[in-house]
Every structure is written in C-alpha cells, then in structure tokens.
C-alpha cells in the first residue's frame, strides 16, 4: 500500500533531526529521528512492504512537522524528549521506568559498568539518568574509550572483544589489576563530572609518554582524551536548567518576516512554532506582546537583538515575577539562537540557500536556477545508457529528465558516451530554440569534463560546466588543472552530491530496465 504524502517530499531537508506526524485533529501520533530527514520520511510513502502497524500509522498522517538538529546524537535526545512530552499513539510505550536507571560500577576484582534499576547491589552508583538514550550512549562510550570488560564472568580464554581491541583482557592476564583499576578510575572521573581534570592529567601523561618515545601508549591516551572531549560536548537540546525559556529568531526576506520560536522546558526542547507575516518597524516588540498575551511566559526569553525596555516589564507583569529578555553573544545560548535560524533557513529557504551557495562556490555569473547533470551506466560495456536529470530552483524536475541509448560507442568508453549524450541534448535544444541550462554537471573526472567541453565548443555554446568525481567529491572546471577548493561538508558541495546521486540512481535504474527487457522473452 502506498499513500500520497501530505507534503512535497523534495522540500524536506537532508539534515539530521526529528519528524512529527499529526492526524487530522493536529494530534502528534508519531515521533521519529533520522540521520537524513528526507530519506527517512520518504521511506514511509514509497515502500510497498510496510508492516500492518506502520500502514495504519501512514493512513492517519495528515501533516508533517520536522525539527533540524546539529547531529544525530542531538536528534536522539530530542526524540526522547518529544516522546515524553506528547506520548504519541504509534510510538512504543515504555512502562518499566527504564529512563530512570543508574550506572553501576560493580564491586569486583576487575569491575564492570552496567545499568542498574535498583540500588541493591554492592558497588558505586552514578545517576539516576532521566534520559535512557543519554545513559546508554554514555555507557557505550566509556566502555569503548577505556576498554572496560563487559562479560558477566571472567572466561578462561580471550573473547572476541579482546581480539577486536575493545577490551583490556583481564581474563587472560593481559593487564594487571593495578593498570585495570587505573582505567576504571578514569571512567569514574568522567561519570563524576571531573572530565576537565582528567583531560589535563592525561595530556601531561601523553606528553611524558611521547618524550619517553612510548608512542603506542601515547596514541592510546590521545584517543581517550578525544573520547572524553566528545562526551563533554554539550548537547544544545538537553541543557540542565531548572526553569523554562523561549528562544526566538527570524529572517526577513523580500519584505516578509519568517520567525520561529523554540519552547525550552527545564532545559529540554519541547516544541517549535513558526510564523510568517509582513515586515514593519518594531515587529519583534509587537510579536512579543501579542504572543505572550495568549501563551505562558517563561522565566527568560532569548532574542537576536535588543527590544524596547518596557517589554521585559510587560512580561514580568504577565508572569508575576521578573522575566529576563536576553541577547546572547556567545556560548550555549548563542548556539540555540543559531539553531533556530538554521531551522528557519531549512524550513523556508533550504532550496534557495543551496542554489546561492553553489553560485558563490563556483563563482558563477548568475544563480544556477536550472542545472542539468549527465551520467553513463553499463554492465561491462553492455546495455550502455546515458541519463540527464534536471534540477530547477534546487529541486528535481522529473518531467524534464531524459534517457539516452548510446548509439555511437561500442565497448567501454565513458568519455565518448558522455560526448554523445551532451551533443544530442544541446543540439536538439539549439534546433528547438529552447533555453539552455545555467549549469551543466557531468559525473566523473577530467576525462568526462574534457569530452563534454569539446562538444559544447563545437556547438558554439558557452554554458558553465563542471565535473564531479565520486571518490573525493572533487570538482573540476575547464581551464583549471587542479580541483576547486570546495569543502565537502559545505551546502554547495552537498547540493552537488545530491544532484550527482540522483543522476546515478536514474542511470542505474534505466540500465537495469533495459537488461531486464533483454532477458524476458
């Protein structure tokens, strides 16, 4: 069964984050997290083998909301928070108080770290942890960083974890009791919140090991330092506060204000609200008054710039106590403001931004509103085909995709195949006097680039042209001997990768279709 999605799936971001499904009454019926929001949400509406429960869920989805996060761990934490807040019908209901367990350092000769429901075992307890996801992530990270054993009983022979260098191997005497205890103490320091002191001590030990030319031990300590620093990376959606706060940011584009507000409850991101209205001077002051006249006033409101001093007095009157209206300049609060703006950009301007970023990165004379990308697919030189996909204003324009059976090439010759499809595509546009694209992309390296450039020159066309090589995501342009210095994680590079991947998918699909037709009698 397939159901028509309530949104254009191509408008969804490819960033990590959480998605919320609502029914016709606006009730949240499911909360999920994703490393790639577009790919994950699309899978619900494009698969034909959904289980009965998921089919029922999909049939009740009336609208979709998403919240972008900075990384997958933040998405995990946010998912947990949102589930606890909304208790969606189709999420798993946990009734065993799992999220309030402890981490126990066992009282053994070679101690372990385990999850404990009750404080009835000998050892040292850390917690309780109100987030089961955070607790489990921390436990795995500590075991991995300090190579703590996880087996319930010490075996008489080395286990797989020891051979994979994930355990110190006390079972086979690979480490003394004193050295193992040192690693356990380091893990306890992290759990006790003494990570900074531990990092300082480890850096001193690493320097001493290096000076003594004990480089292997120094590398182990370096890895431990990096692991502790990752653990200490403060999650912007799970900040420990004993009061509520709201975070407000906005963008003004073409005379319109796009504003988003995050409600933070006791340090936990609860929900996101979005507003669109015409721009006028003093709009933020007016919004604050109107919004908090009908909504609960938090103890603190974070805004991107100063507002009228009377606003804080008004909010204090509404709440019955002093309310802070703060403009953060650095740190976690500034990061929260930036996260709100990121969500605005993704929600309203994701396509426009990546197109403009590509223009800047490639130094193009105009914005590449229409991009056409070519790829060749074959199986050991057989069933060779070419495809062209078109992106218009940052989105795939499938009605303008084109497929080509290679006519003039025998055997394996991607360069001549690219030349053929480029020649056929743009000679036809010339004959029909249709608009040329703003940018042409070929999947490949310098060879494919030169083949396409020669064909464009023979047609008398001057259209910006690049080649994108798969292995290192390198971008080549005619006239440059070296690839362009493009950050692989930049919006421009990720956009090019999206275009290339869509072209590659289309080419493989067409190739398989032709081969299937040859096999079927």
């Amino acid at each position: 069964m397939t159901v028509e999605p309530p949104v254009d799936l191509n408008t969804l971001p490819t960033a990590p984050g959480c998605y919320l499904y609502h029914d016709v009454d606006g009730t949240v019926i499911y909360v999920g997290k994703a490393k790639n929001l577009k790919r994950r949400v699309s899978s619900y509406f494009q698969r034909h083998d959904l289980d009965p429960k998921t089919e029922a869920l999909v049939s009740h989805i009336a609208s979709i909301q998403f919240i972008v996060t900075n990384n997958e761990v933040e998405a995990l934490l946010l998912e947990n928070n949102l589930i606890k807040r909304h208790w969606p019908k189709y999420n798993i209901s946990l009734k065993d108080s799992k999220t309030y367990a402890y981490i126990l350092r066992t009282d053994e000769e070679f101690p372990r770290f385990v999850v404990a429901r009750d404080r009835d075992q000998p050892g040292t307890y850390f917690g309780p942890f109100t987030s089961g996801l955070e607790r489990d992530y921390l436990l795995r990270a500590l075991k991995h960083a300090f190579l703590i054993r996880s087996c319930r009983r010490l075996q008489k022979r080395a286990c797989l974890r020891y051979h994979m260098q994930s355990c110190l191997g006390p079972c086979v005497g690979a480490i003394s009791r004193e050295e193992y205890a040192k690693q356990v103490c380091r893990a306890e320091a992290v759990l006790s919140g003494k990570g900074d002191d531990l990092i300082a001590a480890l850096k001193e030990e690493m320097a001493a090991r290096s000076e003594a030319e004990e480089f292997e031990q120094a590398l182990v300590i370096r890895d431990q330092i990096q692991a502790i620093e990752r653990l200490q990376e403060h999650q912007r959606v799970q900040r420990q506060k004993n009061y509520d706060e709201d975070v407000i940011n906005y963008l003004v584009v073409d005379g319109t204000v796009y504003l988003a507000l995050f409600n933070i409850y006791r340090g936990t991101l609860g929900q996101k609200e979005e507003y669109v209205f015409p721009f006028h001077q003093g709009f933020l002051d007016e919004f604050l008054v109107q919004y908090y006249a009908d909504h609960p006033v938090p103890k603190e409101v974070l805004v991107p710039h100063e507002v009228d001093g009377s606003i804080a007095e008004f909010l204090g009157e509404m709440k019955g106590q002093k309310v802070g209206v703060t403009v953060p300049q650095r740190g976690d609060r500034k990061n929260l403001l930036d996260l709100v703006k990121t969500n605005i950009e993704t929600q309203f301007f994701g396509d426009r931004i990546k197109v403009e970023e590509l223009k800047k990165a490639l130094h193009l004379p105009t914005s590449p509103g229409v991009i056409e990308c070519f790829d060749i697919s074959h199986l050991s030189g057989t069933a060779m085909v070419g495809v062209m996909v078109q992106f218009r204003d940052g989105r795939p324009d499938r009605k303008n995709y084109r497929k080509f059976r290679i006519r003039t090439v025998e055997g394996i010759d991607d360069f001549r195949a690219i030349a053929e499809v480029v020649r056929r595509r743009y000679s036809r546009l010339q004959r029909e006097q249709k608009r040329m694209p703003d940018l042409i992309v070929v999947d490949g390296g310098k060879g494919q680039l030169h083949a396409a450039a020669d064909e464009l020159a023979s047609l008398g066309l001057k259209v910006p042209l690049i080649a994108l090589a798969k292995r290192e995501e390198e971008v080549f342009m005619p006239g440059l001997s070296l690839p362009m210095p493009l950050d692989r994680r930049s919006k421009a590079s990720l956009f090019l990768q999206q275009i290339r991947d869509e072209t590659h998918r289309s080419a493989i699909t067409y190739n398989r279709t032709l081969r299937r037709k040859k096999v079927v009698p």
Side-chain angles (χ1 to χ4, degrees):
M1 181 195 77
T2 57
V3 176
E4 189 68 22
V7 298
D8 182 355
L9 298 176
N10 290 318
T11 65
L12 297 176
T14 56
C18 289
Y19 54 94
L20 297 87
Y21 292 155
H22 301 255
D23 61 15
V24 291
D25 298 321
T27 303
V28 177
I29 58 175
Y30 186 77
V31 172
K33 64 91 183 171
K35 184 177 182 179
N36 182 315
L37 284 167
K38 178 180 178 181
R39 186 180 305 156
R40 184 70 184 96
V41 173
S42 298
S43 69
Y44 284 89
F45 301 96
Q46 295 173 346
R47 290 178 56 182
H48 298 269
D49 57 346
L50 298 175
D51 60 85
K53 181 180 178 181
T54 305
E55 280 193 3
L57 162 65
V58 173
S59 68
H60 287 90
I61 299 173
S63 63
I64 301 173
Q65 179 188 14
F66 61 83
I67 300 175
V68 174
T69 59
N70 290 292
N71 53 59
E72 195 174 6
V73 176
E74 283 191 1
L76 278 166
L77 296 173
L78 177 57
E79 178 192 34
N80 186 54
N81 299 333
L82 292 172
I83 290 172
K84 296 296 187 294
R85 177 169 177 76
H86 296 287
W87 293 108
K89 176 181 178 180
Y90 288 95
N91 282 95
I92 297 173
S93 178
L94 299 178
K95 303 180 184 296
D96 61 352
S97 299
K98 176 182 177 183
T99 58
Y100 295 96
Y102 297 82
I103 291 178
L104 165 67
R105 195 271 290 149
T106 62
D107 189 12
E108 299 174 275
E109 182 180 7
F110 294 96
R112 297 172 294 137
F113 288 91
V114 298
V115 174
R117 308 291 179 192
D118 304 299
R119 298 171 64 96
D120 57 358
Q121 303 178 56
T124 304
Y125 288 83
F126 303 89
F129 291 84
T130 57
S131 168
L133 290 168
E134 184 182 15
R135 179 204 63 224
D136 294 342
Y137 173 78
L138 179 59
L139 187 59
R140 287 195 303 271
L142 288 175
K143 288 181 179 179
H144 179 76
F146 300 106
L147 309 181
I148 304 298
R149 76 181 184 96
S150 59
C151 52
R152 293 189 177 184
R153 293 183 304 169
L154 284 176
Q155 305 296 323
K156 294 184 178 180
R157 60 180 182 178
C159 64
L160 181 62
R161 286 193 69 228
Y162 173 73
H163 292 299
M164 294 177 64
Q165 298 183 341
S166 297
C167 176
L168 292 168
C171 55
V172 293
I175 186 172
S176 68
R177 185 186 305 176
E178 292 74 18
E179 283 298 317
Y180 186 88
K182 183 186 296 186
Q183 300 303 317
V184 171
C185 288
R186 289 173 177 176
E188 287 184 300
V190 175
L191 288 169
S192 302
K194 300 175 182 178
D196 290 336
D197 295 337
L198 176 59
I199 288 175
L202 289 176
K203 285 183 176 179
E204 290 183 6
E205 183 177 347
M206 181 175 66
R209 295 277 192 179
S210 298
E211 190 171 338
E213 297 186 357
E214 298 174 355
F215 300 116
E216 186 173 343
Q217 293 89 333
L219 285 174
V220 171
I221 296 172
R222 183 205 63 183
D223 292 342
Q224 290 183 352
I225 292 172
Q226 292 176 348
I228 298 168
E229 289 174 340
R230 284 194 297 270
L231 282 173
Q232 288 188 315
E233 195 176 293
H234 205 71
Q235 300 303 321
R236 287 182 278 277
V237 296
Q238 183 90 10
R239 299 158 66 235
Q240 297 304 312
K241 289 284 188 70
N242 58 3
Y243 59 85
D244 297 341
E245 61 186 344
D246 287 349
V247 188
I248 300 172
N249 212 335
Y250 64 85
L251 285 174
V252 179
V253 179
D254 298 331
T256 300
V257 178
Y258 299 84
L259 182 145
L261 183 148
F262 278 15
N263 302 120
I264 312 290
Y265 301 97
R266 300 296 191 270
T268 298
L269 176 57
Q271 65 181 19
K272 176 184 72 169
E273 298 183 52
E274 295 159 347
Y275 299 88
V276 180
F277 48 84
F279 170 84
H280 63 272
Q281 293 295 331
F283 71 85
L284 184 56
D285 293 20
E286 183 178 332
F287 172 83
L288 292 171
V289 172
Q290 290 191 20
Y291 179 83
Y292 289 112
D294 299 320
H295 294 81
V297 179
K299 186 174 181 180
E300 188 167 23
V301 179
L302 307 184
V303 292
H305 59 75
E306 296 288 346
V307 297
D308 191 280
S310 61
I311 298 295
E313 297 179 17
F314 165 78
L315 296 178
E317 289 289 333
M318 296 289 293
K319 188 173 181 62
Q321 66 182 80
K322 184 177 180 181
V323 174
V325 180
T326 307
V327 183
Q329 302 297 324
R330 60 184 65 86
D332 291 335
R333 293 177 171 184
K334 180 61 168 61
N335 290 332
L336 272 175
L337 267 182
D338 293 341
L339 184 60
V340 175
K341 180 172 282 189
T342 297
N343 274 266
I344 298 172
E345 291 173 345
T346 304
Q347 177 73 32
F348 296 106
F349 307 104
D351 296 322
R352 182 189 300 188
I353 289 173
K354 63 188 182 185
V355 170
E356 289 302 315
E357 288 292 325
L358 186 58
K359 174 190 173 184
K360 294 177 184 176
L362 300 181
H363 308 289
L364 300 176
T366 59
S367 183
V370 177
I371 302 172
E372 293 185 349
C373 183
F374 295 85
D375 191 16
I376 302 298
S377 180
H378 57 81
L379 181 63
S380 300
T382 63
M384 182 174 283
V385 298
V387 298
M388 183 218 79
V389 305
Q390 186 181 101
F391 273 62
R392 187 175 294 270
D393 298 324
R395 301 183 187 179
D397 186 4
R398 289 183 172 81
K399 69 178 183 296
N400 282 315
Y401 283 19
R402 296 293 182 267
K403 302 173 183 177
F404 305 87
R405 290 199 188 196
I406 303 302
R407 301 169 180 167
T408 63
V409 180
E410 294 183 1
I412 302 175
D413 194 334
D414 286 359
F415 302 159
R416 290 178 58 200
I418 280 286
E420 177 183 328
V421 295
V422 168
R423 180 174 62 255
R424 288 167 58 184
R425 169 62 177 169
Y426 297 116
S427 61
R428 179 167 183 170
L429 289 188
Q430 279 185 325
R431 290 195 305 270
E432 297 175 355
Q433 297 183 341
K434 291 184 177 180
R435 175 189 169 184
M436 294 292 169
D438 301 305
L439 175 67
I440 298 172
V441 182
V442 293
D443 182 19
K446 290 184 178 181
Q448 286 85 350
L449 177 71
H450 292 151
D454 290 343
E455 291 301 325
L456 292 177
S458 67
L459 294 171
L461 295 176
K462 295 183 179 180
V463 181
L465 169 69
I466 65 170
L468 180 61
K470 286 189 184 72
R471 180 169 296 179
E472 300 296 334
E473 308 296 353
E474 292 178 327
V475 176
F476 295 93
M477 295 186 76
L480 298 180
S481 58
L482 297 175
M484 295 194 67
L486 202 61
D487 186 347
R488 293 176 60 178
R489 295 167 295 181
S490 67
K491 289 185 175 68
S493 181
L494 293 174
F495 183 29
L496 286 176
Q497 293 170 40
Q498 178 191 357
I499 296 171
R500 189 272 317 287
D501 291 346
E502 172 64 8
T503 311
H504 190 57
R505 180 202 63 78
S506 182
I508 291 177
T509 301
Y510 184 38
N511 178 269
R512 287 174 177 169
T513 300
L514 289 184
R515 285 191 279 123
R516 195 178 301 119
K517 287 181 179 179
K518 287 185 176 181
V519 171
V520 177

